[in-house]
Amino acid sequence: MKLALVLVLVLGCARSHVTACADDLEGTWRDDAGERWMLLDHDGVIEGYPIFADSIGSDVRGAPRSLQLHREGDRLAGLVVRRYDHRADSCDARAPVTATCGDDALELQLGDPAAPASFAPCKLLPPPPPHAERWHRE
């Protein structure tokens, strides 16, 4: 009886395999560089947050990035957002991100939001081209 209960608990806690972007993507993911991200999956909206030191800068400070994704058919699309601060002024910079899902992985084309050219008023620069990353669920 105890063995059956343990098996039910273990199997109930195991994450299902990712075969499509319609699958539940919530949980901890690791990229090929070893950096970890937490994804929250609710009602077609995926939020992503770094679980590593992701802030940058000294005089101009960049807060950790966040991902804001929506399901679009068999892929995810949305934005990478990073807030930049300079003294009392701030700007929210954005870059595109898309992802396909399958084989227990996410294949991302991830942009990196560029620091603004100026803060008062906020003048954003175009982001550099996206780069490819492959994430695996932990």
Side-chain angles (χ1 to χ4, degrees), residues 11-29 38-47 69 71 73 76 101-106 135-138:
L11 293 175
C13 294
R15 290 283 183 192
S16 60
H17 293 287
V18 175
T19 59
C21 289
D23 294 339
D24 180 11
L25 302 177
E26 187 155 322
T28 306
W29 293 78
M38 173 57 71
L39 295 185
L40 304 176
D41 186 342
H42 41 263
D43 297 327
V45 176
I46 312 294
E47 298 175 48
L69 300 165
R71 287 186 170 91
L76 304 174
C101 313
D103 296 328
D104 285 331
L106 299 178
W135 293 8
H136 297 274
R137 181 181 272 157
E138 289 191 328

Side-chain angles (χ1 to χ4, degrees), residues 57-97:
S58 54
D59 187 36
V60 173
R61 299 188 51 86
R65 294 169 289 172
S66 66
L67 303 180
Q68 302 169 355
L69 300 165
H70 301 274
R71 287 186 170 91
E72 294 184 353
D74 61 348
R75 69 184 195 118
L76 304 174
L79 296 171
V80 181
V81 179
R82 185 187 296 266
R83 168 163 275 175
Y84 287 95
D85 297 309
H86 182 257
R87 298 187 185 112
D89 299 315
S90 65
C91 290
D92 288 338
R94 292 168 174 78
V97 59

